[in-house]
Amino acid sequence: MLEENINYQYITEFINQNTPDTTPFLAELEIYAKENFIPIINRETRRFLEMLLKLKQPKRILEIGTAIGYSSLVFEEATGALVDTIEIDDKAAGLALKNIQKAEKSEKITVYHGDALTVLKVLKQESYDAVFIDAAKGKYPEFFRLCFPLLKQGGLLICDNILYKGMVANEALIPRKKRALVHKLQRFIAYLMRHTNLTSSIVPIGDGLIVSIKRSATC
Ligand SMILES: C[S@@+](CC[C@H](N)C(=O)[O-])C[C@H]1O[C@@H](n2cnc3c(N)ncnc32)[C@H](O)[C@@H]1O
């Protein structure tokens, strides 16, 4: 059976019950996203990313896929970093700007309104300590190709929804119309896991993350 979440529901519920709430404003955005069917990082993914980023202590974070600005605000809140985030959709970009203004974070979070495949080409090389890819899954290989030079050595790369409701790990779950996309994700995962300049790990949390570190001269 195809599940929204890749883990047993009782495990997810347990993790979520034990995960502290966000700020009241982020909680408002969570409700808005739920009511309007806007996919944002889920509770357990949010906590895990907060932790990873706090360990990394990034000064600058790049995000592909802003939606309403929820995860950008989470990242800024967790680290105090400057966040650059890219959103292709007009309505979502407008809402994100409004939410970021409301949270008084316009000086910390910059929303680039456009296709990441275009915007990424004009950003400065090796300027980000962490990159979060959370947009069209079919374009992950292209996003990665353009993001990799923007990430500093030792930088953190995180891609969300990598296990895509479990489909990437079980052919029997894949409906015919999703086959090409799922196979593309499988090839992307294999590519990252074998990339000689990355150390990567697949993390079965939320809809699945792949977390990679760009190799530096020392590791
Ligand atoms: C899953 S949502 C992002 C959720 C957000 N990261 C959060 O957790 O709050 C994915 C977003 O990526 C955007 N997107 C899809 N393709 C894109 C592209 N080529 N360039 C920029 N944004 C894109 C979609 O419009 C959508 O708002």
Side-chain angles (χ1 to χ4, degrees), residues 19 27 60-61 82 88 96 148 209 217:
T19 300
R60 298 194 62 195
I61 300 174
L82 293 175
I88 198 169
F148 187 73
L209 298 171

Side-chain angles (χ1 to χ4, degrees), residues 39-41 63 65-67 70-71 87-89 114-116 134-136 143:
I40 58 171
I41 47 167
E63 172 180 65
T66 318
Y70 176 80
S71 50
E87 176 54 55
I88 198 169
D89 181 75
D115 186 339
D134 187 20
F143 293 147

Side-chain angles (χ1 to χ4, degrees), residues 30 41 49 89-90 97 116-117 123 140 142 158 162-163 176 191 217:
E30 288 162 17
I41 47 167
L49 295 185
D89 181 75
D90 297 351
L97 279 171
L117 294 177
L123 299 176
Y140 275 21
E142 289 95 320
I158 305 157
I162 207 78
L163 295 176
R176 185 187 290 269
Y191 171 75

Side-chain angles (χ1 to χ4, degrees), residues 79-216:
T79 61
L82 293 175
V83 180
D84 288 345
T85 181
I86 311 173
E87 176 54 55
I88 198 169
D89 181 75
D90 297 351
K91 188 172 172 210
L95 278 169
L97 279 171
K98 232 190 244 166
N99 289 330
I100 291 162
Q101 259 165 24
K102 244 191 198 169
E104 299 181 358
K105 295 292 181 186
S106 304
E107 296 197 346
K108 302 297 292 290
I109 304 172
T110 304
V111 179
Y112 289 86
H113 179 197
D115 186 339
L117 294 177
T118 308
V119 177
L120 289 169
K121 290 181 186 154
V122 302
L123 299 176
K124 197 168 157 257
Q125 305 256 316
E126 297 209 16
S127 55
Y128 295 98
D129 307 285
V131 173
F132 180 54
I133 302 182
D134 187 20
K137 287 181 274 296
K139 295 198 175 135
Y140 275 21
E142 289 95 320
F143 293 147
F144 170 76
R145 190 173 50 79
L146 293 167
C147 281
F148 187 73
L150 307 177
L151 189 62
K152 287 184 190 165
Q153 287 189 18
L156 197 61
L157 170 79
I158 305 157
C159 303
D160 196 11
N161 306 109
I162 207 78
L163 295 176
Y164 198 10
K165 303 175 189 198
M167 285 186 271
V168 300
N170 186 347
E171 288 287 314
L173 293 177
I174 316 173
R176 185 187 290 269
K177 61 178 195 288
K178 300 266 183 199
R179 230 175 258 169
L181 174 57
V182 175
H183 289 163
K184 199 170 193 182
L185 276 174
Q186 288 169 336
R187 287 195 297 275
F188 179 60
I189 292 171
Y191 171 75
L192 288 194
M193 295 299 281
R194 287 168 183 72
H195 197 296
T196 48
N197 283 319
L198 293 174
T199 305
S200 302
S201 175
I202 301 165
V203 185
I205 197 167
D207 197 24
L209 298 171
I210 188 159
V211 179
S212 310
I213 298 169
K214 185 172 178 177
R215 292 234 168 105
S216 62

